[in-house]
Amino acid sequence: MAFEGLSGRLQSIMSKLRGKGKVTEADVKEAMREIRLALLEADVNFKVVKTFIDRVKERAIGQEVLKSLTPGQQVVKVVNEELTELMGGQESKLAVASKPPTIIMMVGLQGAGKTTSSAKLARLLSKQNKKPLLVAADIYRPAAIKQLEVLGEQLGVLVFSLGDKENPVKIAQAGIEKAKKEQFDTVLIDTAGRLHVDEQMMDELRGVRKVAEPDEILLVIDAMTGQDAVNVAESFHREMELTGVILTKLDGDTRGGAALSVKAVTNCPIKFVGMGEKADALEPFHPDRMASRILG
Ligand code: GDP
């Protein structure tokens, strides 16, 4: 289970605090030392940890908290609020174009879950009575187009493809034209990833971005890769001005570092999380619910 280690440790630190009738400054400092270690061991970016601890300390050591009737609970509340803030505060919803179709460009490295997430997102949109078109522009990963077509068929979402001989810019352009002609309200472009961030990929993505003029550029990253995922997000954001992140494989036993660091490091909100391989395993990301889940 994701966050198991982190969650267990934070919960025991929190229950110690909650149980105290009187909480001193030293108690808070001790708890912060323990939280700091737990976050670092969960692979949270060290700068993020430092800022987080400083913020909690500043608020928790305040007189209103320590002199309140339930100081332990007040400190726990501060930790919960700051953890929520760290992950983006509020739910960050998908942009909707004022004039349809809304164009969503999906980017990411191979294996992160980009194709799967494109299909899952199309399914979510269909459930909301939208009419999405999936555009298969990942011409490099063997079988990516076929995979999208199979997923689209299962979900009842149309997949537009021109095979793997056309270039992605043309495919995107033709897909958007089709969507306009046939009144699709959302276009999801599954672009080509690579094994690593490289210049050729970024050039190609910039080309697609130029013709597609996307309302959203969503980066798909794999939570299991921890700080690597955050580094990938930083590189992509520098090159592509992302509008959001989809964090996949949160159903695995990730320690949680990526989930807790990516917003703070890139200032890009997590918009959805992947919770499994099945088509319905994509959920809008709620920072407050995630914080409460971690703190128990
Ligand atoms: P792409 O190369 O980025 O397009 O990656 P794919 O969409 O093909 O996904 C790579 C693998 O990750 C596939 O086996 C997916 O089933 C799996 N996958 C994607 N998202 C999730 C998720 O949220 N949880 C789990 N457990 N597996 C996922």
Side-chain angles (χ1 to χ4, degrees):
M1 234 270 288
F3 304 117
E4 202 161 11
L6 176 65
S7 192
R9 287 183 64 173
L10 291 182
Q11 283 174 26
S12 86
I13 301 166
M14 296 296 122
S15 75
K16 257 195 276 173
L17 275 176
R18 262 199 211 100
K20 280 188 195 279
K22 189 167 167 292
V23 177
T24 63
E25 199 171 313
D27 292 331
V28 174
K29 285 190 173 151
E30 175 56 22
M32 291 311 125
R33 248 192 305 276
E34 289 172 4
I35 293 178
R36 181 174 166 276
L37 271 180
L39 291 172
L40 287 173
E41 274 170 37
D43 198 23
V44 180
N45 175 287
F46 73 96
K47 281 191 209 143
V48 173
V49 173
K50 181 169 188 317
T51 314
F52 175 80
I53 295 291
D54 287 350
R55 286 181 63 126
V56 174
K57 240 193 228 164
E58 195 187 314
R59 286 183 60 194
I61 290 175
Q63 289 309 304
E64 311 86 86
V65 171
L66 295 185
K67 290 240 172 348
S68 69
L69 287 173
T70 52
Q73 282 174 25
Q74 296 305 316
V75 177
V76 173
K77 187 162 163 262
V78 170
V79 173
N80 188 315
E81 285 170 6
E82 290 297 333
L83 205 54
T84 303
E85 209 45 49
L86 183 67
M87 289 186 283
Q90 305 223 320
E91 180 193 354
S92 177
K93 299 207 167 168
L94 274 184
V96 179
S98 52
K99 186 166 165 279
T102 299
I103 314 270
I104 302 175
M105 191 173 156
M106 306 285 284
V107 301
L109 295 184
Q110 270 182 24
K114 186 167 41 60
T115 301
T116 318
S117 300
S118 302
K120 287 173 171 173
L121 189 51
R123 179 188 171 277
L124 264 187
L125 293 167
S126 299
K127 291 253 160 202
Q128 296 165 6
N129 293 322
K130 300 227 188 260
K131 191 181 169 198
L133 177 68
L134 280 163
V135 175
D138 183 353
I139 58 169
Y140 294 112
R141 183 162 65 78
I145 295 178
K146 185 78 201 156
Q147 181 190 353
L148 196 63
E149 283 171 348
V150 169
L151 287 169
E153 191 154 330
Q154 283 167 5
L155 303 173
V157 175
L158 196 72
V159 175
F160 175 82
S161 122
L162 292 175
D164 59 7
K165 300 289 177 282
E166 276 297 351
N167 73 62
V169 173
K170 270 238 177 85
I171 298 172
Q173 220 163 10
I176 292 168
E177 253 165 51
K178 180 184 172 72
K180 283 183 178 156
K181 243 185 255 150
E182 297 178 24
Q183 269 94 49
F184 286 87
D185 52 36
T186 314
V187 181
L188 287 151
I189 308 172
D190 183 22
T191 63
R194 299 286 194 283
L195 290 174
H196 305 282
V197 173
D198 68 32
E199 216 21 61
Q200 193 201 8
M201 169 176 65
M202 289 301 177
D203 274 348
E204 184 180 290
L205 293 177
R206 278 190 284 262
V208 173
R209 180 181 64 182
K210 193 156 176 235
V211 297
E213 296 179 4
D215 303 284
E216 290 273 4
I217 304 179
L218 300 180
L219 173 70
V220 180
I221 53 175
D222 176 346
M224 301 288 292
T225 60
Q227 286 315 295
D228 276 348
V230 178
N231 295 336
V232 167
E234 259 193 308
S235 316
F236 267 92
H237 194 37
R238 218 174 13 246
E239 304 279 342
M240 293 296 297
E241 291 156 50
L242 303 170
T243 59
V245 165
I246 297 183
L247 189 62
T248 64
K249 310 186 198 182
L250 219 58
D251 52 312
D253 58 357
T254 161
R255 286 182 288 161
L260 292 170
S261 314
V262 75
K263 169 67 171 62
V265 172
T266 65
N267 202 26
C268 238
I270 300 174
K271 295 207 170 181
F272 295 92
V273 286
M275 302 296 292
E277 296 200 68
K278 295 225 176 79
D280 60 355
L282 186 81
E283 299 171 7
F285 181 64
H286 299 279
D288 53 344
R289 288 186 210 164
M290 188 56 79
S292 301
R293 204 181 115 188
I294 294 170
L295 293 174

